[in-house]
Amino acid sequence: MKKQITIALAVSISAFSFAQKKELKEAEKAIKGNNYAEAKTALKQAESQLSEMDEKQKAQYYYLNAEALYANGAASMKDIDSALESLSKVQGDYVSESSDLKQSMVNGIIKKGNKFYEAKDFSTSSKYFEKAYRLSTKDTLFLYYAAATAVNVQEYDRALVLYEELKNLNYTGVEKQYFATNVSTGEEEILDKSTRELYVKAKSHTNPGERMTESKKPEIVKNIALIYISKGDDEKALKAIDEARAETPDDINLILSEANIYYKLGNTEKFKALLEKATQMEPNNPELQYNLGVISAESGHPEEATAYYKKAIELSPNYINAYINLAALILSKEESIIKEMNGLGSSKKDDLRYDELRGQRQDLYKQAVPYLTKALEIDDKNISAAKTLVNIYSILGEKAKHDELKVKVEALEAEAK
């Protein structure tokens, strides 16, 4: 009797083992045929028998389950996470296969990240680059890409976390770069070492060389500071700027950003000192003069802004934005005039004041016209400058100029469509 029970039990265990092998084999066959839905069905049936499987079968199950979930790169981010969880349970057998699959997943995720990047879907691209890094933490470059693409779509909170992680890892991104000059184009090209040597040997390239790339650490700490500025966290921003300036003490933009924070905090003395430092460092930099003009205008210093814009034009006569901003500064005075005009009564005194203010308003328009005209000469497709001029000519009663420019504006608007 005992012998019969033992035999029956042995037959039962054998039947379970046979069923498990059959379902795993079916899943494996379905995966090879790219039929992942069928593979998932077979694996679902095998899942209920996990407790009866030996270690090798369990390892095979978890490996095949990861393959089915990943679906050769067609998986969603959620399925990728599930596939990774399944791979983490593989022990003993299939460890080598799991390692290969994981690397294949990394490559596929990077490929998808690049695809989303090329489609300018920076948000999704960033998440794929981060996933690639989480899968292969030695590839810190992808953590950098994740942070940089997050900034592109102003996902500042997420970018900040990634940049802080890069900073804590002391990531620099410095690497050796190989280059040579293309004989047919005369342009320098960045190549991998073996390709460069092949091209030089074939005489299609000359002047081979190598150099170390610049560190990305200054950019990282700078972006951390700028994100804190955008969030209005002045205390952390100033601390981050101190770190950033320690990396790049001569970065004009950091000095300007710091100056702007001090202005917000009411520390005008520090604000002016930093502006003076910036101009001393690069007195002939038109972009710096322009940026100083922008900061001065935003900080409520129109006279200083005007001087900086004019200096930018002196250094670079075709600096179109300086002309436009000069016109904007002039026209910004219009608001207070209109406000007073609208508040006047109907007395004779008020009528006289109204006429006086109307004259002041027209004088502002006349002062702005040369700057807008010059901007339009530099860029004849600048619709913003053209529209403003059309409105000014209308108010000034210069019908011929208004009509001529209106035709141009309509043509530009039609072209934009």
Side-chain angles (χ1 to χ4, degrees), residues 37 113 168 197 207 237 259 342 351 357:
N168 293 336
E197 289 174 352
N207 304 322
N342 290 337
D351 288 344
L357 289 170

Side-chain angles (χ1 to χ4, degrees), residues 153-413:
V153 284
Q154 298 180 6
E155 293 179 359
Y156 293 138
D157 288 339
R158 184 166 171 275
L160 182 60
V161 172
L162 299 174
Y163 276 130
E164 290 281 13
E165 188 172 353
L166 285 164
K167 189 184 79 170
N168 293 336
L169 289 169
N170 200 30
Y171 173 77
T172 64
V174 174
E175 60 183 5
K176 186 173 284 188
Q177 197 174 69
Y178 299 93
F179 60 89
T181 302
N182 187 315
V183 174
S184 62
T185 65
E187 294 181 1
E188 184 181 281
E189 294 178 354
I190 308 300
L191 307 159
D192 63 77
K193 188 177 181 181
S194 58
T195 302
R196 185 199 64 177
E197 289 174 352
L198 185 66
Y199 285 176
V200 170
K201 191 174 181 180
K203 300 188 184 304
S204 66
H205 289 66
T206 59
N207 304 322
E210 57 186 60
R211 60 185 167 233
M212 301 305 292
T213 60
E214 291 185 9
S215 172
K216 291 182 172 65
K217 189 175 180 182
E219 176 195 337
I220 290 165
V221 290
K222 176 181 175 179
N223 282 348
I224 288 171
L226 294 176
I227 289 171
Y228 277 127
I229 291 171
S230 73
K231 289 165 67 69
D233 195 331
D234 297 330
E235 186 177 339
K236 287 184 178 179
L238 286 172
K239 183 180 177 182
I241 282 177
D242 283 342
E243 290 184 48
R245 287 191 62 192
E247 290 291 329
T248 51
D250 295 331
D251 190 317
I252 293 292
N253 289 324
L254 280 175
I255 294 172
L256 294 177
S257 295
E258 185 177 6
N260 206 29
I261 292 174
Y262 278 116
Y263 182 83
K264 282 171 61 182
L265 295 174
N267 192 336
T268 54
E269 187 176 332
K270 186 71 174 175
F271 168 76
K272 288 181 179 179
L274 286 165
L275 289 186
E276 287 171 4
K277 180 178 176 63
T279 51
Q280 286 168 7
M281 288 169 64
E282 292 189 28
N284 296 319
N285 183 333
E287 187 172 356
L288 169 58
Q289 297 292 335
Y290 171 77
N291 286 331
L292 286 168
V294 171
I295 287 177
S296 296
E298 290 178 350
S299 304
H301 294 78
E303 294 80 9
E304 289 181 17
T306 298
Y308 284 128
Y309 288 143
K310 287 184 175 180
K311 181 65 176 178
I313 290 169
E314 180 186 329
L315 294 169
S316 179
N318 287 333
Y319 207 125
I320 185 169
N321 286 340
Y323 288 105
I324 290 173
N325 283 16
L326 275 169
L329 272 177
I330 293 167
L331 295 175
S332 68
K333 299 173 185 177
E334 180 187 25
E335 186 178 351
S336 61
I337 294 174
I338 292 174
K339 186 176 180 180
E340 187 179 348
M341 289 172 76
N342 290 337
L344 291 173
S346 56
S347 69
K348 186 176 181 181
K349 183 180 178 181
D350 285 342
D351 288 344
L352 289 171
R353 179 57 180 163
Y354 186 91
D355 291 340
E356 183 182 346
L357 289 170
R358 184 174 59 184
Q360 290 178 15
R361 186 185 179 196
Q362 290 186 330
D363 285 341
L364 288 181
Y365 290 146
K366 290 173 183 177
Q367 290 173 41
V369 165
Y371 296 118
L372 292 169
T373 301
K374 182 63 178 179
L376 210 51
E377 285 177 10
I378 297 168
D379 177 12
D380 64 358
K381 294 187 182 299
N382 192 306
I383 195 165
S384 176
K387 278 185 171 181
T388 305
L389 272 174
V390 166
N391 291 334
I392 288 175
Y393 287 142
S394 175
I395 294 170
L396 292 177
E398 298 189 29
K399 189 175 185 306
K401 290 181 179 179
H402 168 270
D403 293 347
E404 181 184 352
L405 200 53
K406 188 179 179 183
V407 172
K408 182 179 181 65
V409 167
E410 289 171 352
L412 288 172
E413 287 177 331

